[in-house]
Amino acid sequence: MSQVPPFEKPRVLIIHPTASTCRLIRESLEHFCDAEVETCPDAQRGFELALQRRHQLFIFSLQLPLMGGPLLYEMIGTAYSFCHEGTRTPPGIIYLA
């Protein structure tokens, strides 16, 4: 008899400089979608987190310290397939103003 693999929670990465915004989105996703959520206030650490683990969704601020969200997503897109074998593109993105 084969075992069914356990359900894997969707993983979401939020990069936003405002802690209260990160907390609100994180708590909503964790409670209503049963998602695993990582948060980060800056682009540099967010880039590292994005490449360390596979995510199903990114939520980025348009304006981040050091660089904007669209540029960060472009940089992640360039490196994502090299860090996550079998993946050609990074996950979908939602930008927050």
Side-chain angles (χ1 to χ4, degrees), residues 49-71:
L49 289 172
L51 298 182
Q52 287 175 357
R53 302 173 72 185
R54 288 183 190 257
H55 294 87
Q56 283 68 45
L57 178 65
F58 291 146
I59 301 175
F60 294 173
S61 173
L62 282 171
Q63 300 298 322
L64 293 166
L66 303 179
M67 75 175 67
L71 178 58

Side-chain angles (χ1 to χ4, degrees), residues 21-92:
T21 301
C22 285
R23 187 181 71 240
L24 175 69
I25 297 169
R26 183 189 73 239
E27 289 178 358
S28 297
L29 289 171
E30 286 175 345
H31 290 92
F32 295 109
C33 300
D34 197 30
E36 183 180 329
V37 181
E38 293 180 283
T39 61
C40 177
D42 64 85
Q44 182 178 355
R45 178 69 180 132
F47 181 79
E48 294 171 1
L49 289 172
L51 298 182
Q52 287 175 357
R53 302 173 72 185
R54 288 183 190 257
H55 294 87
Q56 283 68 45
L57 178 65
F58 291 146
I59 301 175
F60 294 173
S61 173
L62 282 171
Q63 300 298 322
L64 293 166
L66 303 179
M67 75 175 67
L71 178 58
L72 174 60
Y73 186 67
E74 186 176 331
M75 290 176 57
I76 291 169
T78 302
Y80 201 80
S81 63
F82 295 107
C83 296
H84 302 290
E85 190 176 317
T87 304
R88 291 185 179 193
T89 60

Side-chain angles (χ1 to χ4, degrees), residues 4 21 93:
V4 176
T21 301
I93 179 86

